[in-house]
């Protein structure tokens, strides 16, 4: 098992099921499968909620299938429950780094979960916030 805990932003979960970009889908599937094997992946309630919303709005699957996928992800990974202290931490990150509140909440949850990496295509790859580094796995 890898010592480095990794956190998945919503877009990684979406690409896991979205076959419209097979390169990104393959990368997302490899990341998720590796984290399952290593036992080092973490997601949050925010990621699960956004995932359900995005894949059903994009008509990538039915609401029933999306519910099954939410269950699958939550069985494979610990799920960080968004808390008031994480919201306060997100506001601090938002103020200090000029990120959106929602990206800041992902980073706050990742920091509180002890993750050293957040996989996301929405934030600045290579940037470190607290003890967590953002990596965009789709950058070539």
């Amino acid at each position: 098992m890898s010592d480095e805990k990794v956190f998945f932003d919503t877009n990684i979960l979406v690409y896991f099921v979205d076959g419209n970009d097979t390169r990104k889908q393959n990368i997302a599937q490899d990341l998720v499968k590796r984290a399952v094997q290593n036992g080092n992946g973490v997601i949050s309630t925010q990621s699960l909620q956004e995932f359900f919303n995005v894949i059903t709005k994009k008509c990538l699957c039915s609401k029933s299938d999306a519910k099954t996928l939410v269950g699958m992800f939550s069985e494979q990974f610990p799920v960080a429950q968004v808390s008031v202290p994480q919201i306060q931490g997100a506001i601090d990150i938002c103020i200090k780094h000029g990120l959106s509140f929602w990206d800041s909440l992902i980073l706050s949850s990742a920091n509180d979960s002890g993750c050293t990496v957040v996989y996301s295509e929405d934030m600045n790859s290579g940037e470190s916030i607290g003890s967590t580094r953002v990596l965009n796995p789709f950058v070539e």
Side-chain angles (χ1 to χ4, degrees):
M1 179 160 117
S2 173
D3 290 339
E4 183 175 60
K5 288 174 72 175
V6 298
F7 196 98
F8 294 110
D9 193 0
T10 305
N11 49 54
I12 305 302
L13 304 180
V14 170
Y15 284 124
F16 184 88
V17 299
D18 186 354
N20 291 320
D21 186 328
T22 55
R23 185 183 79 78
K24 287 184 178 182
Q25 183 182 36
N26 289 334
I27 291 168
Q29 288 178 349
D30 287 344
L31 286 172
V32 169
K33 288 175 184 174
R34 195 172 329 127
V36 168
Q37 291 171 345
N38 293 335
N40 66 338
V42 179
I43 55 177
S44 68
T45 52
Q46 175 190 352
S47 296
L48 291 174
Q49 293 165 5
E50 290 174 351
F51 170 78
F52 179 87
N53 187 51
V54 169
I55 66 171
T56 56
K57 284 198 179 222
K58 285 187 168 187
C59 299
L60 297 175
C61 65
S62 69
K63 289 180 181 179
S64 179
D65 288 343
K67 180 181 178 185
T68 299
L69 289 164
V70 166
M72 179 196 76
F73 285 128
S74 63
E75 289 172 6
Q76 295 297 321
F77 300 115
V79 179
Q81 302 288 321
V82 174
S83 65
V84 173
Q86 285 177 351
I87 293 168
Q88 294 288 350
I91 293 168
D92 291 340
I93 291 169
C94 184
I95 291 168
K96 183 175 181 181
H97 298 279
L99 298 172
S100 77
F101 172 76
W102 301 111
D103 288 345
S104 297
L105 188 56
I106 290 289
L107 288 162
S108 180
S109 296
N111 277 316
D112 284 359
S113 298
C115 295
T116 55
V117 171
V118 170
Y119 287 114
S120 176
E121 76 171 347
D122 293 337
M123 297 179 243
N124 295 327
S125 191
E127 184 174 16
S128 290
I129 307 289
S131 59
T132 305
R133 185 171 33 111
V134 175
L135 292 180
N136 181 344
F138 308 118
V139 174
E140 294 184 38

PDB file of all heavy atoms in Angstrom, residues 28-54:
ATOM      1  N   ALA A  28      -8.283   8.410 -16.053  1.00  0.00           N
ATOM      2  CA  ALA A  28      -9.093   8.424 -14.830  1.00  0.00           C
ATOM      3  C   ALA A  28      -9.295   7.004 -14.301  1.00  0.00           C
ATOM      4  O   ALA A  28      -9.177   6.761 -13.093  1.00  0.00           O
ATOM      5  CB  ALA A  28     -10.440   9.096 -15.085  1.00  0.00           C
ATOM      6  N   GLN A  29      -9.587   6.067 -15.187  1.00  0.00           N
ATOM      7  CA  GLN A  29      -9.788   4.689 -14.756  1.00  0.00           C
ATOM      8  C   GLN A  29      -8.510   4.101 -14.162  1.00  0.00           C
ATOM      9  O   GLN A  29      -8.566   3.405 -13.150  1.00  0.00           O
ATOM     10  CB  GLN A  29     -10.300   3.837 -15.914  1.00  0.00           C
ATOM     11  CG  GLN A  29     -11.733   4.144 -16.267  1.00  0.00           C
ATOM     12  CD  GLN A  29     -12.257   3.344 -17.445  1.00  0.00           C
ATOM     13  OE1 GLN A  29     -11.505   2.676 -18.156  1.00  0.00           O
ATOM     14  NE2 GLN A  29     -13.566   3.415 -17.669  1.00  0.00           N
ATOM     15  N   ASP A  30      -7.365   4.400 -14.775  1.00  0.00           N
ATOM     16  CA  ASP A  30      -6.091   3.911 -14.231  1.00  0.00           C
ATOM     17  C   ASP A  30      -5.820   4.483 -12.840  1.00  0.00           C
ATOM     18  O   ASP A  30      -5.395   3.754 -11.934  1.00  0.00           O
ATOM     19  CB  ASP A  30      -4.927   4.261 -15.164  1.00  0.00           C
ATOM     20  CG  ASP A  30      -4.907   3.415 -16.431  1.00  0.00           C
ATOM     21  OD1 ASP A  30      -5.584   2.366 -16.479  1.00  0.00           O
ATOM     22  OD2 ASP A  30      -4.203   3.808 -17.384  1.00  0.00           O
ATOM     23  N   LEU A  31      -6.067   5.789 -12.662  1.00  0.00           N
ATOM     24  CA  LEU A  31      -5.848   6.426 -11.356  1.00  0.00           C
ATOM     25  C   LEU A  31      -6.738   5.804 -10.281  1.00  0.00           C
ATOM     26  O   LEU A  31      -6.279   5.492  -9.179  1.00  0.00           O
ATOM     27  CB  LEU A  31      -6.121   7.928 -11.428  1.00  0.00           C
ATOM     28  CG  LEU A  31      -5.100   8.792 -12.127  1.00  0.00           C
ATOM     29  CD1 LEU A  31      -5.628  10.214 -12.269  1.00  0.00           C
ATOM     30  CD2 LEU A  31      -3.783   8.785 -11.384  1.00  0.00           C
ATOM     31  N   VAL A  32      -8.018   5.656 -10.609  1.00  0.00           N
ATOM     32  CA  VAL A  32      -8.967   5.111  -9.639  1.00  0.00           C
ATOM     33  C   VAL A  32      -8.627   3.661  -9.321  1.00  0.00           C
ATOM     34  O   VAL A  32      -8.580   3.266  -8.139  1.00  0.00           O
ATOM     35  CB  VAL A  32     -10.417   5.261 -10.151  1.00  0.00           C
ATOM     36  CG1 VAL A  32     -11.390   4.465  -9.304  1.00  0.00           C
ATOM     37  CG2 VAL A  32     -10.814   6.745 -10.183  1.00  0.00           C
ATOM     38  N   LYS A  33      -8.345   2.870 -10.334  1.00  0.00           N
ATOM     39  CA  LYS A  33      -8.005   1.451 -10.103  1.00  0.00           C
ATOM     40  C   LYS A  33      -6.736   1.316  -9.262  1.00  0.00           C
ATOM     41  O   LYS A  33      -6.660   0.478  -8.364  1.00  0.00           O
ATOM     42  CB  LYS A  33      -7.852   0.724 -11.430  1.00  0.00           C
ATOM     43  CG  LYS A  33      -9.181   0.508 -12.135  1.00  0.00           C
ATOM     44  CD  LYS A  33      -8.991  -0.111 -13.515  1.00  0.00           C
ATOM     45  CE  LYS A  33     -10.329  -0.215 -14.229  1.00  0.00           C
ATOM     46  NZ  LYS A  33     -10.190  -0.670 -15.622  1.00  0.00           N
ATOM     47  N   ARG A  34      -5.737   2.151  -9.540  1.00  0.00           N
ATOM     48  CA  ARG A  34      -4.491   2.109  -8.763  1.00  0.00           C
ATOM     49  C   ARG A  34      -4.753   2.484  -7.299  1.00  0.00           C
ATOM     50  O   ARG A  34      -4.220   1.860  -6.384  1.00  0.00           O
ATOM     51  CB  ARG A  34      -3.463   3.051  -9.379  1.00  0.00           C
ATOM     52  CG  ARG A  34      -2.054   2.812  -8.875  1.00  0.00           C
ATOM     53  CD  ARG A  34      -0.980   3.606  -9.604  1.00  0.00           C
ATOM     54  NE  ARG A  34      -1.273   3.882 -10.990  1.00  0.00           N
ATOM     55  CZ  ARG A  34      -1.250   5.106 -11.529  1.00  0.00           C
ATOM     56  NH1 ARG A  34      -0.946   6.161 -10.787  1.00  0.00           N
ATOM     57  NH2 ARG A  34      -1.523   5.295 -12.795  1.00  0.00           N
ATOM     58  N   ALA A  35      -5.593   3.481  -7.085  1.00  0.00           N
ATOM     59  CA  ALA A  35      -5.916   3.892  -5.714  1.00  0.00           C
ATOM     60  C   ALA A  35      -6.693   2.803  -4.976  1.00  0.00           C
ATOM     61  O   ALA A  35      -6.496   2.605  -3.773  1.00  0.00           O
ATOM     62  CB  ALA A  35      -6.698   5.202  -5.727  1.00  0.00           C
ATOM     63  N   VAL A  36      -7.565   2.104  -5.690  1.00  0.00           N
ATOM     64  CA  VAL A  36      -8.293   0.984  -5.068  1.00  0.00           C
ATOM     65  C   VAL A  36      -7.298  -0.100  -4.671  1.00  0.00           C
ATOM     66  O   VAL A  36      -7.339  -0.619  -3.546  1.00  0.00           O
ATOM     67  CB  VAL A  36      -9.387   0.431  -6.015  1.00  0.00           C
ATOM     68  CG1 VAL A  36      -9.937  -0.888  -5.500  1.00  0.00           C
ATOM     69  CG2 VAL A  36     -10.513   1.446  -6.182  1.00  0.00           C
ATOM     70  N   GLN A  37      -6.387  -0.444  -5.576  1.00  0.00           N
ATOM     71  CA  GLN A  37      -5.385  -1.481  -5.289  1.00  0.00           C
ATOM     72  C   GLN A  37      -4.479  -1.087  -4.129  1.00  0.00           C
ATOM     73  O   GLN A  37      -4.146  -1.914  -3.279  1.00  0.00           O
ATOM     74  CB  GLN A  37      -4.545  -1.769  -6.531  1.00  0.00           C
ATOM     75  CG  GLN A  37      -5.301  -2.464  -7.630  1.00  0.00           C
ATOM     76  CD  GLN A  37      -4.511  -2.532  -8.934  1.00  0.00           C
ATOM     77  OE1 GLN A  37      -3.511  -1.835  -9.124  1.00  0.00           O
ATOM     78  NE2 GLN A  37      -4.986  -3.370  -9.852  1.00  0.00           N
ATOM     79  N   ASN A  38      -4.073   0.188  -4.093  1.00  0.00           N
ATOM     80  CA  ASN A  38      -3.166   0.668  -3.048  1.00  0.00           C
ATOM     81  C   ASN A  38      -3.883   1.022  -1.748  1.00  0.00           C
ATOM     82  O   ASN A  38      -3.235   1.202  -0.717  1.00  0.00           O
ATOM     83  CB  ASN A  38      -2.387   1.899  -3.531  1.00  0.00           C
ATOM     84  CG  ASN A  38      -1.424   1.582  -4.644  1.00  0.00           C
ATOM     85  OD1 ASN A  38      -0.962   0.447  -4.788  1.00  0.00           O
ATOM     86  ND2 ASN A  38      -1.100   2.575  -5.454  1.00  0.00           N
ATOM     87  N   GLY A  39      -5.194   1.175  -1.810  1.00  0.00           N
ATOM     88  CA  GLY A  39      -5.947   1.561  -0.622  1.00  0.00           C
ATOM     89  C   GLY A  39      -5.630   2.958  -0.144  1.00  0.00           C
ATOM     90  O   GLY A  39      -5.679   3.237   1.051  1.00  0.00           O
ATOM     91  N   ASN A  40      -5.325   3.873  -1.087  1.00  0.00           N
ATOM     92  CA  ASN A  40      -4.903   5.209  -0.676  1.00  0.00           C
ATOM     93  C   ASN A  40      -5.746   6.344  -1.247  1.00  0.00           C
ATOM     94  O   ASN A  40      -5.369   7.501  -1.172  1.00  0.00           O
ATOM     95  CB  ASN A  40      -3.429   5.432  -1.048  1.00  0.00           C
ATOM     96  CG  ASN A  40      -3.193   5.459  -2.548  1.00  0.00           C
ATOM     97  OD1 ASN A  40      -3.982   4.943  -3.332  1.00  0.00           O
ATOM     98  ND2 ASN A  40      -2.084   6.053  -2.952  1.00  0.00           N
ATOM     99  N   GLY A  41      -6.914   6.023  -1.814  1.00  0.00           N
ATOM    100  CA  GLY A  41      -7.767   7.059  -2.392  1.00  0.00           C
ATOM    101  C   GLY A  41      -8.784   7.581  -1.404  1.00  0.00           C
ATOM    102  O   GLY A  41      -9.216   6.862  -0.495  1.00  0.00           O
ATOM    103  N   VAL A  42      -9.170   8.845  -1.574  1.00  0.00           N
ATOM    104  CA  VAL A  42     -10.184   9.494  -0.739  1.00  0.00           C
ATOM    105  C   VAL A  42     -11.066  10.341  -1.656  1.00  0.00           C
ATOM    106  O   VAL A  42     -10.574  10.938  -2.617  1.00  0.00           O
ATOM    107  CB  VAL A  42      -9.545  10.395   0.350  1.00  0.00           C
ATOM    108  CG1 VAL A  42     -10.603  11.092   1.188  1.00  0.00           C
ATOM    109  CG2 VAL A  42      -8.586   9.601   1.231  1.00  0.00           C
ATOM    110  N   ILE A  43     -12.353  10.373  -1.345  1.00  0.00           N
ATOM    111  CA  ILE A  43     -13.287  11.267  -2.021  1.00  0.00           C
ATOM    112  C   ILE A  43     -14.083  11.996  -0.942  1.00  0.00           C
ATOM    113  O   ILE A  43     -13.936  11.701   0.245  1.00  0.00           O
ATOM    114  CB  ILE A  43     -14.222  10.513  -2.986  1.00  0.00           C
ATOM    115  CG1 ILE A  43     -14.965   9.386  -2.257  1.00  0.00           C
ATOM    116  CG2 ILE A  43     -13.439   9.973  -4.181  1.00  0.00           C
ATOM    117  CD1 ILE A  43     -15.969   8.632  -3.119  1.00  0.00           C
ATOM    118  N   SER A  44     -14.921  12.924  -1.362  1.00  0.00           N
ATOM    119  CA  SER A  44     -15.728  13.652  -0.379  1.00  0.00           C
ATOM    120  C   SER A  44     -17.206  13.601  -0.752  1.00  0.00           C
ATOM    121  O   SER A  44     -17.566  13.272  -1.884  1.00  0.00           O
ATOM    122  CB  SER A  44     -15.282  15.121  -0.290  1.00  0.00           C
ATOM    123  OG  SER A  44     -15.602  15.802  -1.486  1.00  0.00           O
ATOM    124  N   THR A  45     -18.036  13.954   0.203  1.00  0.00           N
ATOM    125  CA  THR A  45     -19.462  14.048  -0.083  1.00  0.00           C
ATOM    126  C   THR A  45     -19.699  15.059  -1.203  1.00  0.00           C
ATOM    127  O   THR A  45     -20.567  14.850  -2.057  1.00  0.00           O
ATOM    128  CB  THR A  45     -20.266  14.433   1.176  1.00  0.00           C
ATOM    129  OG1 THR A  45     -19.694  15.616   1.761  1.00  0.00           O
ATOM    130  CG2 THR A  45     -20.270  13.317   2.195  1.00  0.00           C
ATOM    131  N   GLN A  46     -18.924  16.121  -1.232  1.00  0.00           N
ATOM    132  CA  GLN A  46     -19.041  17.118  -2.298  1.00  0.00           C
ATOM    133  C   GLN A  46     -18.788  16.471  -3.654  1.00  0.00           C
ATOM    134  O   GLN A  46     -19.550  16.679  -4.606  1.00  0.00           O
ATOM    135  CB  GLN A  46     -18.052  18.262  -2.069  1.00  0.00           C
ATOM    136  CG  GLN A  46     -18.022  19.278  -3.204  1.00  0.00           C
ATOM    137  CD  GLN A  46     -16.871  20.263  -3.089  1.00  0.00           C
ATOM    138  OE1 GLN A  46     -16.166  20.314  -2.099  1.00  0.00           O
ATOM    139  NE2 GLN A  46     -16.680  21.046  -4.130  1.00  0.00           N
ATOM    140  N   SER A  47     -17.724  15.686  -3.771  1.00  0.00           N
ATOM    141  CA  SER A  47     -17.402  15.027  -5.045  1.00  0.00           C
ATOM    142  C   SER A  47     -18.525  14.097  -5.489  1.00  0.00           C
ATOM    143  O   SER A  47     -18.867  14.045  -6.674  1.00  0.00           O
ATOM    144  CB  SER A  47     -16.098  14.237  -4.930  1.00  0.00           C
ATOM    145  OG  SER A  47     -15.011  15.087  -4.693  1.00  0.00           O
ATOM    146  N   LEU A  48     -19.084  13.347  -4.548  1.00  0.00           N
ATOM    147  CA  LEU A  48     -20.170  12.427  -4.892  1.00  0.00           C
ATOM    148  C   LEU A  48     -21.416  13.176  -5.363  1.00  0.00           C
ATOM    149  O   LEU A  48     -22.069  12.775  -6.328  1.00  0.00           O
ATOM    150  CB  LEU A  48     -20.506  11.533  -3.700  1.00  0.00           C
ATOM    151  CG  LEU A  48     -19.447  10.501  -3.324  1.00  0.00           C
ATOM    152  CD1 LEU A  48     -19.840   9.786  -2.033  1.00  0.00           C
ATOM    153  CD2 LEU A  48     -19.225   9.499  -4.449  1.00  0.00           C
ATOM    154  N   GLN A  49     -21.750  14.267  -4.684  1.00  0.00           N
ATOM    155  CA  GLN A  49     -22.921  15.055  -5.066  1.00  0.00           C
ATOM    156  C   GLN A  49     -22.730  15.674  -6.446  1.00  0.00           C
ATOM    157  O   GLN A  49     -23.625  15.604  -7.299  1.00  0.00           O
ATOM    158  CB  GLN A  49     -23.165  16.165  -4.037  1.00  0.00           C
ATOM    159  CG  GLN A  49     -23.583  15.651  -2.686  1.00  0.00           C
ATOM    160  CD  GLN A  49     -23.460  16.713  -1.604  1.00  0.00           C
ATOM    161  OE1 GLN A  49     -23.148  17.874  -1.851  1.00  0.00           O
ATOM    162  NE2 GLN A  49     -23.711  16.317  -0.368  1.00  0.00           N
ATOM    163  N   GLU A  50     -21.568  16.281  -6.662  1.00  0.00           N
ATOM    164  CA  GLU A  50     -21.298  16.902  -7.958  1.00  0.00           C
ATOM    165  C   GLU A  50     -21.255  15.849  -9.065  1.00  0.00           C
ATOM    166  O   GLU A  50     -21.742  16.079 -10.174  1.00  0.00           O
ATOM    167  CB  GLU A  50     -19.978  17.675  -7.912  1.00  0.00           C
ATOM    168  CG  GLU A  50     -20.032  18.917  -7.063  1.00  0.00           C
ATOM    169  CD  GLU A  50     -18.680  19.603  -6.906  1.00  0.00           C
ATOM    170  OE1 GLU A  50     -17.641  19.048  -7.317  1.00  0.00           O
ATOM    171  OE2 GLU A  50     -18.682  20.715  -6.344  1.00  0.00           O
ATOM    172  N   PHE A  51     -20.660  14.693  -8.777  1.00  0.00           N
ATOM    173  CA  PHE A  51     -20.590  13.596  -9.741  1.00  0.00           C
ATOM    174  C   PHE A  51     -21.992  13.199 -10.199  1.00  0.00           C
ATOM    175  O   PHE A  51     -22.264  13.129 -11.399  1.00  0.00           O
ATOM    176  CB  PHE A  51     -19.863  12.401  -9.122  1.00  0.00           C
ATOM    177  CG  PHE A  51     -19.946  11.141  -9.932  1.00  0.00           C
ATOM    178  CD1 PHE A  51     -19.149  10.975 -11.055  1.00  0.00           C
ATOM    179  CD2 PHE A  51     -20.805  10.123  -9.563  1.00  0.00           C
ATOM    180  CE1 PHE A  51     -19.226   9.809 -11.809  1.00  0.00           C
ATOM    181  CE2 PHE A  51     -20.882   8.951 -10.302  1.00  0.00           C
ATOM    182  CZ  PHE A  51     -20.099   8.802 -11.438  1.00  0.00           C
ATOM    183  N   PHE A  52     -22.885  12.948  -9.249  1.00  0.00           N
ATOM    184  CA  PHE A  52     -24.255  12.569  -9.596  1.00  0.00           C
ATOM    185  C   PHE A  52     -24.900  13.641 -10.468  1.00  0.00           C
ATOM    186  O   PHE A  52     -25.522  13.348 -11.489  1.00  0.00           O
ATOM    187  CB  PHE A  52     -25.094  12.334  -8.336  1.00  0.00           C
ATOM    188  CG  PHE A  52     -26.513  11.960  -8.638  1.00  0.00           C
ATOM    189  CD1 PHE A  52     -26.868  10.639  -8.861  1.00  0.00           C
ATOM    190  CD2 PHE A  52     -27.503  12.934  -8.725  1.00  0.00           C
ATOM    191  CE1 PHE A  52     -28.181  10.293  -9.174  1.00  0.00           C
ATOM    192  CE2 PHE A  52     -28.820  12.595  -9.032  1.00  0.00           C
ATOM    193  CZ  PHE A  52     -29.149  11.266  -9.249  1.00  0.00           C
ATOM    194  N   ASN A  53     -24.760  14.891 -10.073  1.00  0.00           N
ATOM    195  CA  ASN A  53     -25.360  15.999 -10.804  1.00  0.00           C
ATOM    196  C   ASN A  53     -24.822  16.085 -12.235  1.00  0.00           C
ATOM    197  O   ASN A  53     -25.586  16.201 -13.187  1.00  0.00           O
ATOM    198  CB  ASN A  53     -25.113  17.309 -10.055  1.00  0.00           C
ATOM    199  CG  ASN A  53     -25.854  18.470 -10.667  1.00  0.00           C
ATOM    200  OD1 ASN A  53     -27.051  18.411 -10.900  1.00  0.00           O
ATOM    201  ND2 ASN A  53     -25.124  19.541 -10.939  1.00  0.00           N
ATOM    202  N   VAL A  54     -23.511  16.011 -12.396  1.00  0.00           N
ATOM    203  CA  VAL A  54     -22.902  16.169 -13.719  1.00  0.00           C
ATOM    204  C   VAL A  54     -23.267  15.017 -14.644  1.00  0.00           C
ATOM    205  O   VAL A  54     -23.672  15.241 -15.792  1.00  0.00           O
ATOM    206  CB  VAL A  54     -21.361  16.302 -13.606  1.00  0.00           C
ATOM    207  CG1 VAL A  54     -20.693  16.198 -14.969  1.00  0.00           C
ATOM    208  CG2 VAL A  54     -20.996  17.617 -12.929  1.00  0.00           C
TER     209      VAL A  54
END
